[in-house]
Amino acid sequence: MPPSTKKLPALRVAACNVAPVFLDKEATVSKTISLIQSAAANGAQLVVFPETYIAAFPVWTACTAPIDNHDLFIRLTEESLYIDGPEIEILRQTCRDHGIFAHIGFNEKSHASVGCLWNASVLIGDDGVILNHHRKMVPTFYEKLIWANGDAHGLHVADTPIGKIGSLICGENTNPLARFTLMAQGEQVHIRKNYDNVSANRTRAAAHCFEAKAFGVLCAGYMDKAMRDFLVKHDPLCAETLDAAQQGVSLFLDPTGAQIGDQVCGQEGIAYADFDLNACVEPKQYHDVVGGYQRLDIFNLTVNRDRQEPVTWKSDLGTPSSNDQKRRAV
């Protein structure tokens, strides 16, 4: 019997090493649309944006006292998005119009609380359908001053025509259980969003690619002069910290952890790389940690992927707001 000629997909990926229009969701969404269009015009099937790209990573929490940041927190809530809001709908339409997949980081706000935010990301298909919506499970260090805990609802690998795509946000890539959860779903393309800390991010990403036998996309945010000047004007004492901070890098890794394709660091730009997912197969013969190189009779991992909500209604009477409407109708 002749060997199978069926091949895994090959794809072109774009990683946008870019700054938001700081704390301006409308302008940042417009910039995002232009970048999606540019990536599509350059032949990319998947375009990736940085962590909380819309409309800012709250870097001020790293260099200014919390008591002095209330105004920026309020501003961030105003410039954050609902997952079912008009801004996400526009981005979905853009992906549909240009036939491209997009993975976008954003600050998400809650319908249940005017002061609840999540560090979130969304994977949009080339048909405009939301394929995955993830909220960072545990904010890192000073991020806890801004974002609430997420959940595991978004620990999902999307099986798409261009490959099986998963993602984690920055420090989540340090969590071996979260990473294994994605590996166990056959992940072939791993997206990790990060802001800075080049060496640690490169190490964590390479380790995951080597263990998962998957390609990696590292997509970093960029602090431009407008962002830096805004923050220094708000608190001049943070200038030294900001000016000494290392800018992040956007790059790509193959299933051995080796770097491939373009790299962008210290400036705005789009990096590109070509992935041939057939390269994920051979390394599995050596170490398949979710297959023949694993002892599932010894180890067991259970993941609760329920979306966490502040209240669960157990009667068929509806929510209080719907009951109010019923009473008014009567």
Side-chain angles (χ1 to χ4, degrees), residues 14 22 30 48 55 74-75 115 146-147 157 178 193 200 241 271 276 285 312:
F22 194 61
S30 294
V48 180
I74 293 171
R75 175 79 177 274
I146 300 292
W147 295 315
V157 172
K193 296 180 178 292
T241 300
D276 181 356
Q285 190 172 12
T312 300

Side-chain angles (χ1 to χ4, degrees), residues 58-325:
V59 65
W60 60 82
T61 58
C63 56
T64 303
I67 196 69
D68 298 324
N69 284 337
H70 297 313
D71 57 332
L72 293 180
F73 178 76
I74 293 171
R75 175 79 177 274
L76 185 63
T77 63
E78 295 168 349
E79 301 299 329
S80 296
L81 312 183
Y82 292 115
I83 186 62
D84 56 355
E87 299 85 5
I88 296 294
E89 181 57 39
I90 291 170
L91 296 172
R92 294 174 62 185
Q93 181 65 51
T94 302
C95 290
R96 184 161 49 244
D97 290 345
H98 295 276
I100 189 171
F101 291 75
H103 193 275
I104 303 167
F106 67 105
N107 287 278
E108 181 188 357
K109 54 185 175 181
S110 166
H111 286 292
S113 170
V114 294
C116 178
L117 299 178
W118 293 285
N119 179 339
S121 65
V122 62
L123 176 63
I124 303 172
D126 59 355
D127 56 359
V129 172
I130 292 178
L131 301 176
N132 195 36
H133 168 214
H134 180 52
R135 295 167 178 166
K136 188 174 182 181
M137 293 178 292
V138 182
T140 305
F141 192 25
Y142 50 78
E143 295 173 359
K144 292 181 173 68
L145 297 168
I146 300 292
W147 295 315
N149 282 348
D151 50 41
H153 186 77
L155 289 186
H156 170 67
V157 172
D159 192 354
T160 79
I162 61 171
K164 297 181 178 181
I165 303 171
S167 67
L168 292 171
I169 300 172
C170 201
E172 290 185 316
N173 289 274
T174 309
N175 187 328
L177 300 181
R179 294 193 300 106
F180 186 84
T181 300
L182 299 183
M183 293 181 205
Q185 297 173 68
E187 185 185 44
Q188 296 165 328
V189 177
H190 180 73
I191 298 169
R192 62 148 299 132
K193 296 180 178 292
N194 51 279
Y195 193 77
D196 54 19
N197 199 353
V198 171
S199 179
N201 289 330
R202 173 71 170 75
T203 299
R204 289 186 296 199
H208 182 79
C209 290
F210 181 79
E211 293 170 1
K213 314 308 179 192
F215 285 88
V217 184
L218 280 75
C219 186
Y222 176 69
M223 181 172 63
D224 62 7
K225 186 176 185 299
M227 184 190 306
R228 183 262 181 203
D229 291 349
F230 178 98
L231 294 169
V232 171
K233 182 178 180 181
H234 183 268
D235 181 3
L237 294 178
C238 73
E240 182 177 358
T241 300
L242 294 174
D243 293 340
Q246 184 181 35
Q247 291 276 12
V249 60
S250 294
L251 54 82
F252 307 92
L253 303 171
D254 73 9
T256 72
Q259 187 171 336
I260 58 174
D262 299 336
Q263 172 180 308
V264 179
C265 183
Q267 61 182 343
E268 287 200 288
I270 304 178
Y272 292 92
D274 295 302
F275 295 173
D276 181 356
L277 299 188
N278 293 284
C280 300
V281 179
E282 181 182 323
K284 290 279 191 178
Q285 190 172 12
Y286 302 102
H287 305 109
D288 186 355
V289 297
V290 295
Y293 204 69
Q294 188 55 271
R295 288 294 303 274
L296 302 178
D297 56 327
I298 299 175
F299 302 108
N300 180 271
L301 175 62
T302 300
V303 179
N304 176 14
R305 290 190 53 208
D306 292 342
R307 179 64 88 198
Q308 301 301 301
E309 301 291 352
V311 62
T312 300
W313 304 102
K314 291 192 174 181
S315 97
D316 60 358
L317 299 179
T319 64
S321 58
S322 64
N323 288 335
D324 290 343
Q325 293 172 354

